[in-house]
Amino acid sequence: PFALDYDKSNENQNIRDRFGNDWIKRWTQFHTEKETFKYKHDNFKFSQIVTNPIWNDIMGGLLAFTNADKHEMAEAWPDLRDPSTLTLYSAHDTTLMALLSSLGPNVWDGTEWPAYASMFVIELYDTNFDSHVPQDQKWEVEEQFPTKVAFRLLYNGEVLTNKISGCPPNEEICDLDILIIHVFRFSNVSEWDKQCEAMNPVIGNDEDGIDLG
């Protein structure tokens, strides 16, 4: 690619502005953006499809902290389980990229490849503050945390909660329902096959009667 041909492109100001002057950094950024394009393309469709199994399993743990009916949810989320203190997953860098991308356009910009030992964390908090909140302010807390359970999302120590659509822009925690509503639509394992079905192209004849198939 022209951008990686240092002898030819180094004097091109547009290339230098986009990829920088350092050839190694330019090469790394070029290939990172090329690889991460698919995770962000078409409103993150690829990311949402490939993360269906892992989000389904994560949801199986998160839904335990809600009032979800286990019998009604069993088909779509077969791994529903009792509340646990800690759930740990081990995954690849590409899994992390897909997870981050699936949460919307502001959570991850796709310009940096996940480093070794990167960590994606979802923390849960009890927001039942009844005994600590003045009576005249309780309605605000109840409105902000209707489920009385909040989550905090971190990636390598950086708080990303406020970058998820629907979460307060200046808060580190957000009601768990926001995360569940966001992930709910693409974590239903019973619909994964439908999500993966390829669209069949329309085959017919053109104006001259030539078979386009």
Side-chain angles (χ1 to χ4, degrees), residues 127 129 138-150 166-178:
T127 59
F129 305 134
K138 281 187 177 182
W139 68 272
E140 295 183 19
V141 175
E142 291 174 355
E143 185 177 30
Q144 187 172 354
F145 303 105
T147 66
K148 298 188 183 299
V149 179
C167 288
N170 300 315
E171 299 286 347
E172 289 195 8
I173 62 175
C174 181
D175 193 75
L176 182 58
D177 255 6
I178 300 296

Side-chain angles (χ1 to χ4, degrees), residues 22-58:
D22 186 289
W23 186 86
I24 297 297
K25 289 183 178 179
R26 184 186 298 184
W27 184 90
T28 302
Q29 185 178 352
F30 182 90
H31 283 283
T32 298
E33 291 185 10
K34 180 181 177 182
E35 175 65 22
T36 59
F37 172 81
K38 65 186 179 188
Y39 294 100
K40 300 181 292 179
H41 179 63
D42 195 17
N43 291 319
F44 319 100
K45 288 275 180 62
F46 174 80
S47 296
Q48 293 172 359
I49 291 174
V50 298
T51 56
N52 175 288
I54 190 169
W55 270 126
N56 185 274
D57 197 87
I58 292 172

Side-chain angles (χ1 to χ4, degrees), residues 7-188:
D7 293 333
K8 294 181 180 179
S9 64
N10 192 44
E11 300 303 319
N12 186 306
Q13 191 61 45
N14 290 331
I15 295 295
R16 293 176 66 180
D17 289 343
R18 180 175 178 184
F19 297 107
N21 297 320
D22 186 289
W23 186 86
I24 297 297
K25 289 183 178 179
R26 184 186 298 184
W27 184 90
T28 302
Q29 185 178 352
F30 182 90
H31 283 283
T32 298
E33 291 185 10
K34 180 181 177 182
E35 175 65 22
T36 59
F37 172 81
K38 65 186 179 188
Y39 294 100
K40 300 181 292 179
H41 179 63
D42 195 17
N43 291 319
F44 319 100
K45 288 275 180 62
F46 174 80
S47 296
Q48 293 172 359
I49 291 174
V50 298
T51 56
N52 175 288
I54 190 169
W55 270 126
N56 185 274
D57 197 87
I58 292 172
M59 285 279 281
L62 296 180
L63 288 169
F65 293 91
T66 70
N67 294 322
D69 187 297
K70 290 188 176 182
H71 295 290
E72 292 184 5
M73 298 290 181
E75 181 179 354
W77 291 272
D79 295 317
L80 286 175
R81 49 194 180 271
D82 294 330
S84 60
T85 303
L86 175 68
T87 303
L88 183 65
Y89 298 86
S90 178
H92 291 287
D93 46 6
T94 50
T95 309
L96 288 176
M97 291 191 285
L99 280 170
L100 290 165
S101 295
S102 70
L103 291 173
N106 301 319
V107 176
W108 184 62
D109 61 11
T111 60
E112 292 187 11
W113 200 278
Y116 285 113
S118 288
M119 187 174 290
F120 177 89
V121 179
I122 301 174
E123 298 174 342
L124 297 184
Y125 293 87
D126 180 0
T127 59
N128 189 4
F129 305 134
D130 287 349
S131 60
H132 304 285
V133 178
Q135 190 65 34
D136 60 341
Q137 296 178 13
K138 281 187 177 182
W139 68 272
E140 295 183 19
V141 175
E142 291 174 355
E143 185 177 30
Q144 187 172 354
F145 303 105
T147 66
K148 298 188 183 299
V149 179
F151 77 96
R152 185 167 78 142
L153 180 71
L154 301 98
Y155 175 61
N156 290 339
E158 178 186 358
V159 178
L160 302 178
T161 319
N162 59 358
K163 296 184 179 182
I164 295 179
S165 177
C167 288
N170 300 315
E171 299 286 347
E172 289 195 8
I173 62 175
C174 181
D175 193 75
L176 182 58
D177 255 6
I178 300 296
L179 178 61
I180 288 176
I181 290 171
H182 186 88
V183 178
F184 193 86
R185 57 192 173 84
F186 55 83
S187 64
N188 184 337

